[in-house]
Amino acid sequence: KPIEIKFHKSIDGTIKYSIQLHDKNHVEAILIPTKKTITACISSQVGCSLACTFCATGTLKLKRNLTPAEIYDQVFLLNEESTSIFGKRLSNIVYMGMGEPLLNYKSVLSSINFITSKQGLGMSPKRITVSTAGISKMIKQLGNDMVKFNLAISLHSAADNKRNILMPINEKINLAELRESIRNFYNKTGIRITYEYILFKGLNDKIEDAQKLVQFAKVSACKINLIEYNTVDGLNYKKSSNQTTNNFVKHLENQNLIVNLRRSKGKDIAAACGQLVNKLQ
């Protein structure tokens, strides 16, 4: 059981939990309510090794992987909180908190197996999404393991030179290799991929960037979540203007892609995407 829990509540209803583990390390988990759904965003590692340049969590060093029990404990805790605060159980779980889930592959899969079991929450795997920065070897493994949950790829650019800047992992695993692993995953599972794409002012938000994204996304059935950038202290990125964002969305929709524009939740308590660094301690 987690030892110590602190939480902050956002003006939009989002609640961030800082959970102290048995060894005094902390992870963060987020409860995100909407009218229809209540989503738990959970962590898979203490810190992160990938150092994506736009993400506050990336400024932390990776300390260790979480065990399957520690991952499940976050879900159990947030499900109890959801029931007591909102009168409803969790409807969705996203592995989008601290860490890279596919670098803790066995523990993540074990935790999902338990969450979906009768002993756990009995939740459908279709309500669970694992988000990866693009560990192609493990994406292939997910396909070979015929998983039933959803896969989201943090893409942020479909041009290698730009993605290298945002995500240093792209220098080791480039877009061509990533695309091949996605093709394999889709062919094996038939599960539609979600691409996460944060719009950064002047970097990846032009129409030519949208065109590259369209080309990349043709590899399989997919949907695209465009995300507003949440500023992080000390990082120079800025969010795209509303006009630029709308033009980008229109271009994708004209190519018959499914696009969701995600407005940020929990910004005022640093609970939004890329802001998880334990400010609560």
Side-chain angles (χ1 to χ4, degrees):
K1 267 298 205 199
I3 298 170
E4 184 197 353
I5 299 154
K6 296 178 186 170
F7 66 92
H8 277 198
K9 189 162 184 184
S10 163
I11 47 175
D12 63 25
T14 302
I15 307 172
K16 173 161 79 166
Y17 297 85
S18 178
I19 300 167
Q20 184 175 305
L21 307 169
H22 66 89
D23 58 2
K24 299 282 197 284
N25 276 311
H26 288 77
V27 290
E28 295 189 351
I30 320 292
L31 201 54
I32 308 162
T34 66
K35 279 179 187 162
K36 292 182 182 167
T37 62
I38 299 177
T39 300
C41 172
I42 59 171
S43 295
S44 54
Q45 296 180 310
V46 180
C48 187
S49 62
L50 297 187
C52 297
T53 57
F54 53 86
C55 178
T57 313
T59 62
L60 303 172
K61 294 282 178 278
L62 175 67
K63 292 192 176 163
R64 66 174 177 86
N65 283 333
L66 294 183
T67 65
E70 286 171 328
I71 298 172
Y72 178 75
D73 279 347
Q74 294 172 74
V75 175
F76 183 82
L77 168 75
L78 265 58
N79 189 53
E80 288 201 321
E81 289 284 305
S82 176
T83 308
S84 75
I85 297 166
F86 303 110
K88 290 194 286 199
R89 290 163 64 84
L90 292 175
S91 54
N92 299 82
I93 297 167
V94 294
Y95 283 70
M96 294 185 188
M98 302 169 81
E100 164 55 60
L102 296 192
L103 292 179
N104 189 11
Y105 190 90
K106 282 186 178 158
S107 292
V108 164
L109 260 63
S110 296
S111 69
I112 292 173
N113 286 339
F114 194 65
I115 290 163
T116 54
S117 73
K118 286 202 169 74
Q119 295 80 22
L121 296 187
M123 185 180 273
S124 163
K126 294 188 173 69
R127 294 178 173 274
I128 299 174
T129 301
V130 170
S131 174
T132 175
I135 316 296
S136 58
K137 185 176 160 194
M138 304 325 289
I139 294 170
K140 282 198 179 110
Q141 189 62 48
L142 287 173
N144 297 341
D145 286 341
M146 302 285 286
V147 298
K148 302 280 193 292
F149 52 80
N150 299 301
L151 180 65
I153 311 277
S154 286
L155 193 65
H156 312 309
S157 176
D160 277 314
N161 60 335
K162 293 184 179 184
R163 197 165 186 263
N164 288 349
I165 295 167
L166 292 165
M167 306 178 73
I169 187 174
N170 197 70
E171 292 173 14
K172 295 188 190 113
I173 304 169
N174 67 16
L175 287 163
E177 192 180 330
L178 178 58
R179 200 164 189 256
E180 204 41 55
S181 68
I182 292 167
R183 188 194 308 276
N184 177 72
F185 175 86
Y186 182 72
N187 289 345
K188 294 272 175 69
T189 65
I191 294 170
R192 187 172 68 182
I193 303 280
T194 300
Y195 293 108
E196 293 157 333
Y197 194 105
I198 299 173
L199 289 163
F200 297 103
K201 186 177 181 179
L203 179 63
N204 66 349
D205 60 354
K206 299 181 185 69
I207 292 302
E208 68 189 58
D209 296 302
Q211 288 165 340
K212 288 196 163 125
L213 177 54
V214 169
Q215 285 305 320
F216 186 90
K218 282 183 178 167
V219 67
S220 76
C222 70
K223 64 177 181 177
I224 295 165
N225 285 342
L226 290 177
I227 303 164
E228 285 187 330
Y229 180 60
N230 303 303
T231 49
V232 173
D233 292 345
L235 302 184
N236 289 328
Y237 296 107
K238 293 190 171 55
K239 93 184 187 69
S240 299
S241 71
N242 288 344
Q243 186 60 55
T244 304
T245 300
N246 292 340
N247 292 345
F248 201 96
V249 171
K250 274 189 194 134
H251 185 84
L252 298 180
E253 286 179 341
N254 289 342
Q255 302 293 318
N256 297 321
L257 285 168
I258 301 166
V259 186
N260 297 310
L261 181 60
R262 290 284 162 96
R263 303 284 177 197
S264 291
K265 297 240 173 212
K267 270 198 285 203
D268 57 317
I269 55 165
C273 281
Q275 292 185 321
L276 304 191
V277 283
N278 295 324
K279 281 189 178 172
L280 303 187
Q281 285 173 41

